[in-house]
Amino acid sequence: MTDIQAQAAPASMARGLVRKAPENFLDRADIHAIQSQGAGGRRAFIRGAFAAALAGGAATRAAAQAGDAGDGDPAILKLPRHSTSLGQPVAAHPYGQPSKYEGNVQRRQSPGLTQTNQASVSFAPIQSLFGIVTPNGLHFERHHQGWWDIDPQQHRFMINGLVKTPKVFTMDDLMRLPSVSRFHFIECGANTGMNWGNVAVPTVQYTHGMLSCCEYTGVPLITLLEMAGADLKNGKFILAEGADGSSMTRTIPMELVRSSEVLVAWGQNGEMLRPENGYPLRLVVPGVQGVSWVKYLRRVELGDMPWATKDEAVHYIDLMPDGQHRQYTSIQECKSVISTPSGGQVLLASGFYNITGLAWSGRGKVKRVDVSVDGGRNWRTARLENPVLSKCLTRFNIDWVWNGKSAIVQSRAMDETGYVQPTYRQLREVRGSRSIYHNNAVQSWLVQENGEVKHVQLA
Ligand SMILES: Nc1nc2c(c(=O)[nH]1)N[C@H]1C(S)=C(S)[C@@H](COP(=O)(O)O)O[C@H]1N2
Ligand SMILES: [Mo]
């Protein structure tokens, strides 16, 4: 047990502080909406309850925090209906839905981004998620020309180019082949892009929510290439093509494909892909930016050089300080973010908090995450929760006793190659200030004395 833990022990079990109240996860707009419901707003109520407990002195405080029934808590003494009468029969919807009390946990579109109806983004609510897996209904979405629900009976997947026999597969053909299931993160290259301009994006959902992590099921692309008699000597790159109107095409080097890591996948977290994530077939390219994970995958061509298509010559390139563009920045470098406490959340009282967040690297496993609560002067090493998998989100946790003073919380990840996540200063020294994509800088959250957490960027 660390000193911090020992010191925090009695309060650390406090209900309602560790498992934070749902309003802790609201973004600012939602908080104002609740406050404007009047003095009876839930947050005012909870603050009031804590204030009363604090005024009552240490014993009452401990009792209130521990949920002691000594004061006659009606939530314990009065039997609720669910304890005294029959529950509901099997759910009316044969496909399960979250509790109605979790209605605030939603994908959201950023008010700061121009949206057209079809070229759009929705961000995953990573402030509300536990562990490493993103539930399918909350997976972020990025569509260049809208999504489709494609009939799997009609869907075809073709392999051509430097192969002996071009081949066309139906979904049935693919799904009878030996499959594998693997956990990986997917991150859009534009994730955290708004931060380049030093814009105070309010919540972690908008700063880092173009990020998800799933168990994918499919067949290694190399298996299908071999079935088509691929020329593996001259075939150096593949081109992957989607069936939607965006003509999404990306060049992927054969080294990644040869390692059997690249999958032609139909499964996402134990069920078929969701339509918005490429149903019935998508490419899974572990460690590589999301745009290469072509959805509605209809064709893979084997070639001897990169294609330089619009999505790799115009988009997803980085304008460097010398005026040249950096192209084919495929690998998502090591990165991390604290999801609690994070922008828009409110710490309801001082005392124990579990600082938690996510770390990932496109180059392998996360090796270590350090956390600072004083803007980067001092660092402590966080606990990495199992499993720690390659090219997958890793959950980290660390104990913190908040003394009620303002604090700047940050996380800094290191991967198994020894690469350390850079600060903004370090990143800008190399990349300048004209990038949009591939921002993996250390994220800072300011916890203010009133408990409100804000996005700040340290120079
Ligand atoms: N066919 C097709 N594939 C696509 C896209 C698209 O618009 N069409 N968007 C790409 C981009 S930019 C990203 S970040 C990921 C997003 O995957 P998701 O929507 O499942 O989160 O899919 C990629 N694959
Ligand atoms: Mo993307």
Side-chain angles (χ1 to χ4, degrees), residues 35-70:
Q35 283 172 332
S36 68
Q37 284 163 14
R42 290 185 65 193
R43 182 172 150 233
F45 170 76
I46 288 174
R47 264 201 195 278
F50 273 114
L54 292 171
T60 332
R61 173 165 65 230
Q65 291 192 343
D68 191 317

Side-chain angles (χ1 to χ4, degrees), residues 38 156 228 232 251 273 324-325 403 417 424:
R156 300 289 181 271
L232 294 177
T251 300
L273 289 161
Q324 301 208 36
H325 278 107
N403 60 10
T417 72
Y424 269 99

Side-chain angles (χ1 to χ4, degrees), residues 133-148:
V133 171
T134 312
N136 285 339
L138 297 172
H139 193 294
F140 85 96
E141 303 162 76
R142 174 72 181 102
H143 314 298
H144 291 246
Q145 283 294 324
W147 58 272
W148 294 94

